[in-house]
Amino acid sequence: MKQKTRVAVFDFADCEGCELQIANLEEEILDLIEIVDIVSFREVMKEHSDNYDIAIVEGSIMRPMDEERLRNIRSKAKILVALGACATIGGVNKIRNQWMHDEVIKTVYGDAPIHRNELFNVFKTKAVNEVVPVDYYIHGCPIDRDEFKHVITSLALGKKPEIPNYPVCVECKKNENICQFELGNFCLGPITRAGCKAICPTHNSPCEGCRGLIKKAETKCVWEVLERYNLSYEDIRRRCTMYNYGKEECSVDE
Ligand code: SF4
Ligand code: SF4
Ligand code: SF4
């Protein structure tokens, strides 16, 4: 009998909410473990093995010690999957990259004697692919559980998972929502990768871009939206700060 694909889950700087989404699959996890063996997942099990095929990595990389650990994980994995915005794009952890490192440390820890402690030896926040090659991405803050199942099932069956590269607006229109711009809000749906079923505008909140920016934002379409609502490129750049600070795609349509 063919050995099941071995999967290990790891976390770095994050809130562990994406791992919680996996744990929240509850009974549906039984379908997954028909085809994969979960050999390491600190949030839900005590067992650990370094013998795995797929490494799923959640969280941002903040310290030299994180880089070393991540390289070690990469060296053992045939496939590495970045899980959630903290890992795929740096996410909310990149907000602090706007300020000088010393300024951030001083604001958070004041005069506490932390300077010789390597746990606090942080550099500018990095997404996982800024340290090691990433094979696949599961986007979102938090991730969508159905998409997680789709990606892991596809990989276990030797298939390439399809991830949308069109904007959230497409899913939003399918849901027949009133556009957030019409309600006076600023929504990043036109330049954000779909796949979340447009959950935020469907629940009357503008999109904040947690799934990252689409590679080829429709320039004309985005400019039409900006013009219609009297907004500027600078407004877009500011709105991108929460999840996409420093992303080049933000300026692709400048
Ligand atoms: S992407 Fe969001 S939910 Fe997932 S670990 Fe990061 S902060 Fe938490
Ligand atoms: S801009 Fe936002 S609210 Fe409007 S259609 Fe696009 S995703 Fe929906
Ligand atoms: S609507 Fe935007 S912010 Fe909300 S989950 Fe989807 S991509 Fe993330």
Side-chain angles (χ1 to χ4, degrees):
M1 193 178 141
K2 188 175 172 286
Q3 192 182 33
K4 289 186 198 173
T5 303
R6 289 154 304 187
V7 175
V9 183
F10 302 96
D11 47 52
F12 288 83
D14 57 34
C15 78
E16 301 190 9
C18 292
E19 288 178 286
L20 198 58
Q21 286 287 81
I22 303 172
N24 282 345
L25 281 167
E26 297 179 348
E27 284 93 31
E28 290 177 78
I29 204 100
L30 297 176
D31 298 335
L32 265 188
I33 59 176
E34 288 281 316
I35 54 171
V36 301
D37 262 339
I38 299 177
V39 300
S40 187
F41 189 173
R42 184 194 52 76
E43 194 173 75
V44 299
M45 61 195 261
K46 286 187 188 142
E47 297 81 1
H48 168 78
S49 167
D50 279 328
N51 185 11
Y52 44 82
D53 304 301
I54 302 178
I56 299 176
V57 177
E58 181 198 62
S60 308
I61 308 307
M62 319 280 271
R63 306 169 293 191
M65 65 194 291
D66 296 338
E67 280 195 327
E68 195 183 329
R69 179 171 162 241
L70 178 59
R71 288 205 176 94
N72 188 30
I73 291 168
R74 174 72 266 192
S75 72
K76 294 186 172 75
K78 293 181 189 135
I79 295 174
L80 190 142
V81 179
L83 181 79
C86 295
T88 58
I89 51 177
V92 290
N93 293 320
K94 272 203 173 174
I95 293 174
R96 78 177 175 92
N97 287 1
Q98 294 171 86
W99 298 287
M100 296 301 290
H101 168 72
D102 288 349
E103 201 184 326
V104 174
I105 293 278
K106 178 90 181 156
T107 303
V108 176
Y109 297 106
D111 295 323
I114 58 166
H115 293 292
R116 285 201 209 116
N117 187 331
E118 71 165 334
L119 293 174
F120 296 91
N121 180 19
V122 292
F123 45 53
K124 284 206 181 263
T125 304
K126 298 180 188 180
V128 170
N129 69 359
E130 290 174 77
V131 180
V132 295
V134 170
D135 300 299
Y136 297 99
Y137 296 84
I138 304 177
H139 297 279
C141 177
I143 56 158
D144 177 86
R145 278 178 284 186
D146 292 336
E147 190 168 72
F148 174 81
K149 277 190 298 175
H150 165 66
V151 171
I152 301 306
T153 306
S154 303
L155 294 177
L157 299 176
K159 296 181 188 165
K160 185 173 181 282
E162 293 299 326
I163 301 292
N165 194 23
Y166 47 82
V168 172
C169 291
V170 174
E171 293 175 333
C172 188
K173 293 291 179 200
K174 278 188 191 158
N175 293 351
E176 301 184 354
N177 297 324
I178 297 173
C179 182
Q180 286 292 310
F181 282 105
E182 291 294 322
L183 300 173
N185 297 324
F186 192 159
C187 181
L188 286 177
I191 57 167
T192 300
R193 180 192 307 277
C196 59
K197 309 170 187 104
I199 188 167
C200 299
T202 301
H203 290 87
N204 204 22
S205 284
C207 173
E208 295 283 356
C210 82
R211 288 179 58 86
L213 307 177
I214 48 175
K215 285 226 168 75
K216 288 184 185 157
E218 285 296 328
T219 311
K220 195 162 163 273
C221 160
V222 172
W223 278 112
E224 271 172 19
V225 171
L226 290 177
E227 243 174 65
R228 190 179 319 151
Y229 297 101
N230 202 21
L231 298 164
S232 68
Y233 164 75
E234 187 52 27
D235 293 322
I236 283 203
R237 204 188 60 75
R238 263 199 302 274
R239 282 288 295 171
C240 284
T241 301
M242 185 185 291
Y243 284 108
N244 292 282
Y245 181 74
K247 289 295 283 181
E248 283 304 307
E249 288 91 331
C250 241
S251 60
V252 87
D253 299 321
E254 195 173 4

